[in-house]
Amino acid sequence: MYPETEFFQISGFRAHSNGFKKYDDTSLINAIFSDTSKLLRPGGQDCPIELVLGILPSGASYLLMSTEQMLAFTHKHRLSTPRSPWRATDFLSLSPIYFDSRQELSAKFAAYRQRPRNKNRRDLEETQDNSQANRGYVRTDPDVVHYRAYFENQRTLYRLLTRDVAPSKIGLAQPSWLGNIRVVSLVFGEWTVDNRRRDDCLNDPRLVEVGWTDALFANVFEPITGSSTVHLKLKTPSKMINPDSKSPHFSEVVEDDEAGLYLRLRTLLSHESAIPVVILVHDEAMAREVLGRAGIDVESYTSGLTDLLPLSLVEVRCVSPVGPTHEYLS
């Protein structure tokens, strides 16, 4: 199926649905939730409503319908199809979002509701989105990293791996890597009583333990191949110990010094295959510092999953193949 390239906003600031005559938020919510079609309930009539959440470069989020959903909805309710839809490439991420009840959908609509403007400054202020969901995410700053989009892309990756969403519905062509992707979850346990400044901690990390799980995902419902889990405690001269440290349940504990750790990390991340590698980390700055110290080319890793999930530019019926090396930090 060809990927959707245009989307329609259904609530909030300058939403396309604002042009639906006789449809306020309540009636629109009721109309959406009473719909039992496959387009809005792909899992079946008793399953949740599936819509799309888009994150703009400003960080603002909007609730969307795909073109296919909107055309079916407006035809059913004898409404005019809105003009000037959002393009897929207007967004940093597009991800599926699900609603189990009217209450959940109503709460989402309420988060996008515009607040009353100051009547004394109304004529002087630029009209902009002041909703609870997007206040503070109005202007685009190219230097700002929007973790909203990072998070949503991780949700999308999970949904793709579980086959819960069709890639075409969220602006993606069928990914060539789907069914063959490597995921490494990497955790660096710092000394919890270290009270130095952040810059000092990055320049001279004091690690107590490091853990990782490495797996090749063909499908999350199939046995994971090549899976391994390691929990490594560092041998340190100062005998640093975290008071709340607990033994892991799913792996044996090994001990090694810093040089041994770096060798293990280089071995873990040596990767010559065309299979994409996703590294899940909690603190990207610390991860890059430690991996760099281990002699790993961290500049070859891209932050986030945007390059792994490229949105369709226009209504083109083919997508360029992915290059031979793709490595991602998320």
Side-chain angles (χ1 to χ4, degrees):
M1 183 179 290
Y2 299 134
E4 294 278 359
T5 58
E6 295 179 333
F7 295 83
F8 295 86
Q9 184 183 331
I10 59 170
S11 65
F13 182 67
R14 294 178 178 171
H16 294 95
S17 59
N18 291 349
F20 294 161
K21 295 181 179 179
K22 300 180 181 179
Y23 273 78
D24 58 11
D25 279 1
T26 301
S27 56
L28 182 57
I29 290 166
N30 289 335
I32 293 172
F33 206 81
S34 62
D35 198 307
T36 57
S37 70
K38 198 76 172 175
L39 288 175
L40 286 177
R41 296 184 187 268
Q45 293 186 5
D46 297 327
C47 292
I49 291 287
E50 180 185 88
L51 297 171
V52 178
L53 186 69
I55 307 294
L56 290 171
S58 66
S61 69
Y62 288 111
L63 195 60
L64 311 169
M65 279 187 183
S66 67
T67 297
E68 189 177 21
Q69 288 175 323
M70 179 58 74
L71 290 176
F73 184 83
T74 53
H75 177 76
K76 177 180 179 179
H77 296 279
R78 299 182 178 180
L79 298 166
S80 298
T81 303
R83 297 181 179 181
S84 303
W86 288 104
R87 298 168 300 175
T89 51
D90 290 328
F91 298 92
L92 291 179
S93 68
L94 292 169
S95 53
I97 185 170
Y98 299 92
F99 299 93
D100 289 302
S101 66
R102 277 186 175 84
Q103 290 73 22
E104 288 184 3
L105 188 57
S106 296
K108 194 66 174 176
F109 268 62
Y112 290 118
R113 191 171 296 132
Q114 298 302 289
R115 299 178 178 184
R117 302 180 189 279
N118 188 321
K119 64 180 181 180
N120 296 322
R121 300 170 57 189
R122 192 176 299 165
D123 296 334
L124 301 176
E125 288 182 337
E126 179 185 353
T127 303
Q128 56 190 19
D129 190 345
N130 68 356
S131 66
Q132 176 187 347
N134 290 327
R135 194 172 184 178
Y137 293 97
V138 176
R139 301 187 183 280
T140 301
D141 184 345
D143 296 325
V144 173
V145 177
H146 291 296
Y147 293 101
R148 275 180 158 186
Y150 276 20
F151 176 76
E152 290 304 322
N153 276 332
Q154 291 175 35
R155 289 182 57 252
T156 296
L157 177 62
Y158 174 78
R159 293 291 182 180
L160 290 172
L161 290 174
T162 56
R163 306 297 197 269
D164 285 338
V165 66
S168 59
K169 285 188 175 182
I170 49 176
L172 299 173
Q174 183 74 11
S176 60
W177 48 261
L178 194 58
N180 203 18
I181 184 170
R182 185 178 170 215
V183 179
V184 178
S185 178
L186 186 56
V187 179
F188 296 102
E190 299 175 67
W191 193 27
T192 56
V193 297
D194 188 357
N195 57 6
R196 295 176 300 159
R197 296 189 329 171
R198 170 69 169 171
D199 289 346
D200 295 332
C201 292
L202 287 174
N203 292 330
D204 180 22
R206 293 180 182 175
L207 302 178
V208 174
E209 52 196 349
V210 179
W212 61 84
T213 294
D214 178 20
L216 180 65
F217 284 82
N219 185 314
V220 295
F221 298 118
E222 298 175 0
I224 298 174
T225 60
S227 175
S228 63
T229 299
V230 174
H231 184 105
L232 185 146
K233 287 194 173 181
L234 274 167
K235 298 176 183 177
T236 58
S238 56
K239 302 291 184 183
M240 293 183 297
I241 298 175
N242 283 336
D244 297 328
S245 180
K246 297 180 181 179
S247 298
H249 297 288
F250 304 106
S251 65
E252 294 184 4
V253 177
V254 297
E255 291 190 3
D256 211 336
D257 58 15
E258 187 177 84
L261 167 65
Y262 290 165
L263 176 60
R264 289 172 185 263
L265 290 175
R266 288 195 299 272
T267 302
L268 174 69
L269 298 181
S270 59
H271 184 71
E272 297 179 356
S273 171
I275 299 173
V277 179
V278 174
I279 303 178
L280 304 177
V281 297
H282 171 68
D283 184 340
E284 182 180 345
M286 179 60 71
R288 286 184 177 275
E289 179 63 33
V290 175
L291 294 178
R293 286 170 174 266
I296 295 167
D297 180 14
V298 293
E299 295 302 320
S300 66
Y301 286 83
T302 302
S303 297
L305 300 174
T306 303
D307 291 347
L308 192 66
L309 303 168
L311 297 171
S312 298
L313 294 172
V314 290
E315 292 192 60
V316 175
R317 302 315 186 189
C318 63
V319 175
S320 300
V322 184
T325 59
H326 341 308
E327 300 163 331
Y328 307 87
L329 272 167
S330 184

